[in-house]
């Protein structure tokens, strides 16, 4: 399942959906939250924008790449858009597999691609009221480089 949505998600419901087949031996999940600080500056909220249609297609492509590399039985990617407050959930990635190695690798792969390749635009409002667009960090680009096939 892939969803780009404004409403929050329930981690337990998503976990239960991933656990639906008896062949599942491992489930790995990741949930990203809105932080109150970025680059040493206090953040008061975050706004996320996307390009409908293009964003979902990109997410499908990322998940399909993961499925070609690892044994993925079920997967869920939920990414929120709109206005988010500090500590709100932004993203959920869940992978169900027969074995933990595949589940961990696929989950990390998807998150690394989401952080650098998915068409989301993030704008932070700082505690002083000023806003700034957030670029992909160098550390995120470095994380992605380990998955690029040579």
């Amino acid at each position: 399942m892939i969803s780009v949505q404004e409403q929050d998600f329930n981690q337990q419901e998503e976990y239960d959906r991933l656990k639906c087949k008896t062949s599942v031996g491992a489930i790995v999940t990741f949930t990203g939250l809105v932080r109150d600080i970025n680059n040493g500056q206090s953040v008061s909220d975050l706004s996320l924008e996307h390009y409908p249609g293009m964003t979902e297609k990109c997410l499908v492509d990322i998940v399909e790449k993961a499925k070609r590399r690892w044994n993925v039985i079920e997967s869920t990617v939920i990414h929120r858009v709109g206005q988010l407050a500090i500590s709100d959930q932004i993203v959920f990635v869940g992978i169900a597999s027969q074995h933990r190695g595949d589940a961990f690798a696929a989950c990390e792969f998807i998150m690394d691609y989401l952080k650098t390749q998915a068409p989301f635009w993030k704008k932070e409002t700082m505690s002083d009221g000023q806003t700034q667009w957030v670029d992909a960090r160098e550390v995120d680009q470095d994380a992605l480089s380990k998955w690029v096939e040579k």
Side-chain angles (χ1 to χ4, degrees):
M1 179 188 88
I2 292 173
S3 180
V4 177
Q5 62 192 47
E6 288 190 17
Q7 69 272 21
D8 200 4
F9 51 86
N10 181 303
Q11 291 182 29
Q12 186 62 52
E13 289 174 9
E14 299 309 325
Y15 175 85
D16 290 344
R17 196 185 68 68
L18 290 165
K19 195 176 140 185
C20 68
K21 295 187 178 157
T22 58
S23 58
V24 170
I27 296 174
V28 170
T29 66
F30 172 85
T31 304
L33 308 174
V34 178
R35 293 184 304 263
D36 68 349
I37 193 161
N38 189 20
N39 294 326
Q41 293 185 290
S42 293
V43 175
S44 62
D45 63 52
L46 177 69
S47 176
L48 287 115
E49 298 178 13
H50 77 296
Y51 191 99
M54 183 174 83
T55 303
E56 291 83 355
K57 181 183 181 317
C58 180
L59 299 182
V60 167
D61 290 345
I62 292 168
V63 170
E64 288 303 314
K65 285 179 184 177
K67 288 181 175 181
R68 286 193 295 272
R69 292 179 81 156
W70 296 282
N71 174 8
V72 174
I73 297 170
E74 291 289 333
S75 65
T76 299
V77 175
I78 300 171
H79 206 299
R80 295 183 62 201
V81 294
Q83 199 70 26
L84 301 174
I86 301 304
S87 298
D88 279 355
Q89 299 179 128
I90 303 172
V91 62
F92 177 90
V93 175
I95 302 294
S97 184
Q98 287 183 323
H99 304 285
R100 72 178 190 272
D102 285 341
F104 274 113
C107 188
E108 186 176 14
F109 174 92
I110 290 170
M111 272 311 305
D112 287 345
Y113 270 80
L114 281 175
K115 291 287 287 183
T116 57
Q117 305 297 306
F120 290 101
W121 296 276
K122 299 177 184 180
K123 183 169 58 173
E124 294 174 328
T125 302
M126 313 318 281
S127 59
D128 64 5
Q130 296 204 23
T131 61
Q132 66 181 16
W133 291 100
V134 179
D135 293 324
R137 300 174 309 154
E138 189 174 323
V139 68
D140 296 325
Q141 294 293 341
D142 291 344
L144 180 66
S145 68
K146 73 180 166 211
W147 304 114
V148 177
E149 295 179 10
K150 295 171 174 114

